[in-house]
Amino acid sequence: MRLHRNIALNLAVVVAGLILILYLLSTFVLMSEFTSLENRQAQEDMEQVFSAYRAEEQDLEGITRDWSSWDDTYAFIETASPDYLTSNMVDGTFVNNRLNIALYFNRSGGLLYGKSFDYRMNEGRDIPPDLIAALEAEGIVRSVIDNDTGRSEIIRYSDGALLFSAMPILTSENRGPARGVLVMGRSVDANMIRRFEQVTSLPLEIVEISSLPPRATESYPDLSPDHPYTIIPMNESQLNGYLFLNDVRGSPELILQASIPRDFFAQGIALTRFFFSLLIVVAIAFGTIVMVIMERDVLSRIATLNMSVSDIEKSGDLTRRVPEQGDDEIAEFSQEINRMLAAMMRAESAIGMQNRQLTAANEIIHAVSHSTTSDEIFSSSLQKTIDTLGFEMGAIFSTNLEMRKAELKAHSGISPKKISAFLAAASTIDIHRSPHEKVFTAAVPMYYGGIPGEELDEKKNPILTSLGVRSLAIIPLAAGSAMFGVMYAGWTVPHTFTEYEKGILTTIGQEVGNALFKGVLQEKLVAAMTRADISNERAEKARDEANFYLDIMTHDINNVNQASLGYLMLLNEPEESSQDDLIRKLENTVHKSSEIIGQVSVIRRIREKDAPLKRIDLDRIIRDVVHHYADARIVYKGTTLLVHADELIPEIFMNLVGNAIKFGGSENTITIDVQSRGDEVEITVRDTGQGIPDALKPVLFQKYRRGTTAKSGKGLGLYIVRMLVERYGGRVWVEDAEAGSFDRGAAVKFTLKGASEAGSTAQ
């Protein structure tokens, strides 16, 4: 239901957004078009108003010109004949021509005759004195005579506004000189406005400039003489057009307001509202249809799929499957779920197998840790490995690298018919002639799966093939650099070893090697404690060495082994899900244990070895170390110098470079520099890591001196460096990589005795 609700909600939002966008677009397009039509119609209406005014002005101008360009008028100005007035300036002349005023001025500007008449009321009126004064003040008569051309304009006076036309008085042939000026006028009043309304079919009225809206007033300076009007929207139903009529001074003294209905705008509003209503109806119908289709083709099938998955989850039965209906994406999704269920079933089976293997490894390590002698360790580890991991047969050989021999220490599962031949052929083998030499010498495990590409070579492995072995695991039993033996475990059928199985077997080999190394330490402890006849000084040294080995064995190695057993017990829990992480932690603890044992092995060799020193090619040693740490950023330019040392000198560089990589961080750069200092050679190993505090520098190379970070080791590496450097007659110290800045890297420096080409050994 949540999916149904979400789809309906999202569909509603999308449709509503689409309706809004379509409505806004349609409103913009339609209303823009209707507004354009409205503006064109309003322009045409105002042109009609302006044309009506121009027609009125031209009509008055024509009448005035007819009367001014007439011989009788020309003679009247000269003679002032009363007959002209009685014959022409009758009331009918004013009524017929809709005149309100007629004024005759002589050439000097004096009024010769004038008459004011209300043609609507058919009665005469007095000539307004201020009209004569306004005409004189504006110089109308003088400008007409001087320019010999007429003028038609509006002039304001006390009674209102007058549209007048002033023409020079000429002969009938329009010849002069002009004897005066004839001024005829019509009052701009309601009568004239009604005539305009009849022509334009628009409501008109005269308004004052002070009553105009601000937009109309602001637009006046931009108007042209050909289009002296502006149009302002007042509301949704009306536009106002304003026609500015200038007086003789050029000021907009007379303003005609035309009320224009907004028919086009109203039609646009009605159409957009209808379109919006239509969109809503269409959207509702569309949404309903979509939801019905979604319910039929998608939602109901998803609900069925969800119920099937829930039933499988509740039952815990991974053999059940969800229904696969149709051939669309939902059907493909159902198929993927079924494939996932099949993969989970296989993974569950694999996890069960891995748990059994981890349990087996835990039992093997537990059995080895409780064995006291090397023979017990060999025997118990082999038998537990075969019994718990399901191998058919196996054997363990102890190694003696100096004598190049490997001696059979334990065997299990070999057929009684073949045991005699096996013991005769395999009781002692030559390591360097074995096809598995790299397992004995380099501690590298080997696996044969019995499938094409991984078969045992019958010519190289006659003993194994005679036993019918088809798949085989050969695991070194080593602790650090100390090699103690090799375990063979196999089947008479093909078997491909997984990476997980290889990791379990490698862990078993390392734990057996660690147990054997602890046995060696215990033997040395007994030997050191039973030397009663040595001198007090040597007895004290022996006790120190014994305590040293005992401390490592009981504290550091046992701590690491207890951590390993803890991880194995966690792996044995069926509900434990993060097995890969625990295996990785287990491998790390085993590696730490091996590292400690390797360092102790080096210290033991340093203390036991008393052979003379020899010339050593320093360049070869350093390049081997650089090659070993190929993934690190190491800068080394090479050297031709020789030093006095022995085969343990690589341990100095391995420890110093290893520490620089371990504590330096991902951006660390290590530089190895070799310089000749007289009879000595000075070597510097510089890094760009986190540096060494000043308080730690004087005691850095003491035994058990650890660093201050989370990655600090057991404190043996730098102690080995000091022991070897002093053994070779040199000294070692640490400085800042940049003077005065301990946190920008460290520079470990040490000296060795130089060796000339002529010399070969040095004590």
Side-chain angles (χ1 to χ4, degrees):
M1 294 300 293
R2 289 194 300 271
L3 181 60
H4 187 283
R5 184 176 62 252
N6 291 339
I7 291 177
L9 180 61
N10 291 331
L11 182 61
V13 171
V14 171
V15 172
L18 183 60
I19 291 175
L20 180 61
I21 292 173
L22 290 175
Y23 174 72
L24 293 176
L25 289 175
S26 64
T27 301
F28 175 77
V29 173
L30 292 175
M31 292 308 299
S32 297
E33 187 63 28
F34 278 103
T35 302
S36 177
L37 291 173
E38 179 183 68
N39 289 336
R40 287 198 296 270
Q41 183 61 48
Q43 292 283 344
E44 293 176 1
D45 290 341
M46 289 307 297
E47 281 292 332
Q48 287 184 354
V49 175
F50 184 47
S51 297
Y53 168 76
R54 291 290 297 163
E56 186 77 14
E57 185 182 63
Q58 291 171 0
D59 180 63
L60 178 61
E61 186 177 301
I63 293 171
T64 305
R65 183 177 288 108
D66 288 343
W67 281 84
S68 64
S69 299
W70 188 28
D71 289 342
D72 289 356
T73 304
Y74 195 74
F76 171 73
I77 295 300
E78 186 69 23
T79 62
S81 171
D83 295 338
Y84 175 86
L85 297 175
T86 57
S87 300
N88 297 299
M89 291 292 103
V90 296
D91 294 344
T93 300
F94 284 85
V95 173
N96 294 334
N97 293 295
R98 300 192 303 275
L99 296 176
N100 294 105
I101 198 79
L103 301 172
Y104 289 82
F105 292 92
N106 58 25
R107 186 174 180 83
S108 60
L111 179 63
L112 184 62
Y113 173 79
K115 182 178 180 178
S116 176
F117 189 83
D118 186 349
Y119 66 87
R120 298 285 298 177
M121 302 299 295
N122 198 21
E123 62 182 10
R125 298 288 180 90
D126 294 334
I127 299 174
D130 60 329
L131 175 60
I132 303 300
L135 291 172
E136 292 178 351
E138 299 299 334
I140 302 299
V141 174
R142 178 51 53 193
S143 67
V144 171
I145 293 175
D146 291 344
N147 297 324
D148 198 22
T149 184
R151 293 177 60 178
S152 296
E153 296 172 284
I154 294 175
I155 191 168
R156 300 283 296 209
Y157 65 103
S158 59
D159 289 344
L162 180 71
L163 174 62
F164 73 90
S165 179
M167 295 292 174
I169 298 175
L170 304 172
T171 65
S172 298
E173 290 79 16
N174 288 322
R175 293 181 179 178
R179 289 183 175 178
V181 175
L182 174 59
V183 177
M184 290 184 170
R186 294 173 180 170
S187 296
V188 183
D189 54 12
N191 296 325
M192 182 180 290
I193 298 303
R194 280 194 294 273
R195 290 199 300 274
F196 291 167
E197 289 178 341
Q198 292 174 358
V199 174
T200 61
S201 300
L202 292 173
L204 301 174
E205 63 175 314
I206 299 174
V207 297
E208 296 294 333
I209 191 169
S210 60
S211 65
L212 297 184
R215 289 177 59 189
T217 306
E218 294 169 359
S219 66
Y220 171 72
D222 299 327
L223 302 180
S224 66
D226 294 332
H227 303 283
Y229 55 80
T230 186
I231 301 170
I232 305 297
M234 302 305 294
N235 49 52
E236 291 187 357
S237 60
Q238 179 179 323
L239 297 173
N240 279 355
Y242 298 96
L243 176 62
F244 292 87
L245 301 176
N246 295 337
D247 63 1
V248 293
R249 299 178 181 178
S251 300
E253 291 295 335
L254 191 64
I255 301 171
L256 284 181
Q257 174 183 294
S259 299
I260 304 172
R262 303 189 70 177
D263 297 334
F264 287 106
F265 184 80
Q267 292 176 9
I269 292 294
L271 184 59
T272 54
R273 288 174 180 172
F274 171 76
F275 183 69
F276 181 68
S277 301
L278 182 62
L279 282 176
I280 292 177
V281 172
V282 172
I284 293 174
F286 173 76
T288 302
I289 294 172
V290 170
M291 287 304 300
V292 170
I293 295 174
M294 287 287 292
E295 179 67 30
R296 183 191 65 191
D297 295 341
V298 178
L299 297 178
S300 62
R301 295 171 62 191
I302 291 178
T304 301
L305 185 62
N306 184 45
M307 291 177 59
S308 299
V309 173
S310 297
D311 291 342
I312 294 173
E313 179 187 7
K314 293 176 182 178
S315 66
D317 184 4
L318 295 180
T319 62
R320 296 177 59 182
R321 297 294 181 263
V322 299
E324 301 177 5
Q325 301 174 353
D327 57 354
D328 53 13
E329 286 80 1
I330 295 179
E332 293 177 358
F333 181 57
S334 300
Q335 295 169 4
E336 288 296 328
I337 291 177
N338 287 334
R339 283 192 285 269
M340 181 186 67
L341 291 172
M344 291 174 62
M345 188 169 62
R346 292 192 298 270
E348 186 178 48
S349 176
I351 290 173
M353 177 63 71
Q354 292 174 358
N355 285 336
R356 290 191 293 272
Q357 292 173 342
L358 286 172
T359 301
N362 190 17
E363 292 178 2
I364 294 168
I365 295 173
H366 182 74
V368 168
S369 64
H370 288 76
S371 300
T372 57
T373 66
S374 59
D375 289 340
E376 289 182 1
I377 293 173
F378 285 135
S379 178
S380 62
S381 62
L382 176 62
Q383 194 60 49
K384 278 290 185 181
T385 301
I386 291 176
D387 292 343
T388 56
L389 296 183
F391 288 100
E392 295 182 33
M393 64 186 73
I396 287 182
F397 292 84
S398 67
T399 58
N400 188 328
L401 297 181
E402 294 182 358
M403 297 181 64
R404 303 164 58 92
K405 299 292 183 181
E407 181 182 353
L408 180 64
K409 287 295 185 179
H411 61 83
S412 178
I414 300 175
S415 171
K417 296 180 180 180
K418 300 178 181 180
I419 189 65
S420 299
F422 173 74
L423 294 176
S427 60
T428 302
I429 59 175
D430 189 333
I431 292 175
H432 294 283
R433 291 184 179 181
S434 170
H436 315 129
E437 177 185 1
K438 67 177 183 179
V439 183
F440 289 95
T441 59
V444 177
M446 297 179 67
Y447 300 93
Y448 297 92
I451 60 176
E454 295 185 5
E455 306 95 334
L456 279 169
D457 190 333
E458 295 185 8
K459 295 182 179 180
K460 295 182 179 180
N461 300 276
I463 301 175
L464 295 172
T465 55
S466 67
L467 298 176
V469 175
R470 296 286 302 281
S471 52
L472 179 68
I474 309 173
I475 308 301
L477 309 178
S481 60
M483 185 69 179
F484 295 99
V486 172
M487 177 188 293
Y488 287 75
W491 287 282
T492 58
V493 295
H495 175 80
T496 300
F497 290 91
T498 65
E499 293 299 323
Y500 183 80
E501 291 174 329
K502 293 177 181 179
I504 291 292
L505 289 170
T506 300
T507 300
I508 292 173
Q510 291 173 342
E511 287 300 322
V512 173
N514 291 339
L516 291 169
F517 185 72
K518 284 194 292 185
V520 172
L521 292 180
Q522 289 173 340
E523 292 174 1
K524 287 189 172 291
L525 175 62
V526 173
M529 295 298 294
T530 56
R531 293 177 188 156
D533 56 343
I534 59 175
S535 63
N536 291 337
E537 180 180 356
R538 295 191 63 185
E540 185 68 26
K541 182 178 180 181
R543 282 194 299 273
D544 289 344
E545 183 175 356
N547 289 332
F548 172 60
Y549 291 139
L550 181 61
D551 181 56
I552 293 173
M553 179 179 66
T554 59
H555 184 266
D556 292 335
I557 295 178
N558 279 343
N559 283 348
V560 175
N561 288 342
Q562 288 299 321
S564 300
L565 290 173
Y567 289 139
L568 287 169
M569 291 177 68
L570 288 175
L571 286 168
N572 196 28
E573 296 294 331
E575 65 272 22
E576 181 58 53
S577 60
S578 182
Q579 294 183 354
D580 291 340
D581 184 53
L582 291 174
I583 291 173
R584 179 176 56 80
K585 291 180 178 180
L586 176 61
E587 289 178 349
N588 289 340
T589 57
V590 173
H591 288 315
K592 289 180 181 179
S593 176
S594 298
E595 180 183 357
I596 296 170
I597 293 171
Q599 291 174 338
V600 173
S601 177
V602 172
I603 295 174
R604 178 174 60 84
R605 292 169 64 190
I606 293 173
R607 292 184 172 180
E608 291 181 351
K609 200 166 185 68
D610 197 22
L613 305 182
K614 59 184 177 181
R615 283 190 308 152
I616 297 295
D617 182 358
L618 199 57
D619 185 70
R620 179 180 60 82
I621 299 299
I622 296 175
R623 290 191 185 278
D624 287 344
V625 174
V626 172
H627 179 72
H628 180 79
Y629 293 107
D631 293 336
R633 288 191 289 185
I634 303 176
V635 178
Y636 171 61
K637 297 181 179 179
T639 183
T640 59
L641 298 176
L642 304 178
V643 296
H644 286 299
D646 55 21
E647 67 274 11
L648 294 177
I649 188 173
E651 296 292 337
I652 298 177
F653 293 96
M654 292 292 287
N655 276 289
L656 293 180
V657 174
N659 275 358
I661 293 173
K662 181 177 180 181
F663 299 105
S666 60
E667 300 297 325
N668 186 22
T669 298
I670 302 168
T671 303
I672 302 176
D673 183 56
V674 180
Q675 299 290 335
S676 176
R677 306 294 187 197
D679 294 335
E680 293 183 328
V681 175
E682 183 180 290
I683 299 98
T684 303
V685 179
R686 181 181 291 103
D687 64 60
T688 59
Q690 59 186 4
I692 300 173
D694 293 339
L696 193 59
K697 291 184 177 71
V699 296
L700 189 63
F701 298 96
Q702 294 180 10
K703 184 168 58 178
Y704 295 124
R705 174 58 60 181
R706 296 170 171 86
T708 60
T709 69
K711 295 182 178 180
S712 298
K714 302 300 180 181
L716 298 178
L718 295 180
Y719 175 63
I720 291 173
V721 170
R722 194 196 79 186
M723 290 180 65
L724 287 173
V725 170
E726 292 178 350
R727 171 184 173 83
Y728 302 149
R731 59 190 181 91
V732 61
W733 69 97
V734 63
E735 299 176 353
D736 295 328
E738 294 184 15
S741 301
F742 79 87
D743 57 350
R744 294 188 179 179
V748 177
K749 297 187 176 183
F750 62 94
T751 61
L752 298 174
K753 297 295 184 181
S756 62
E757 295 185 0
S760 60
T761 61
Q763 184 63 34

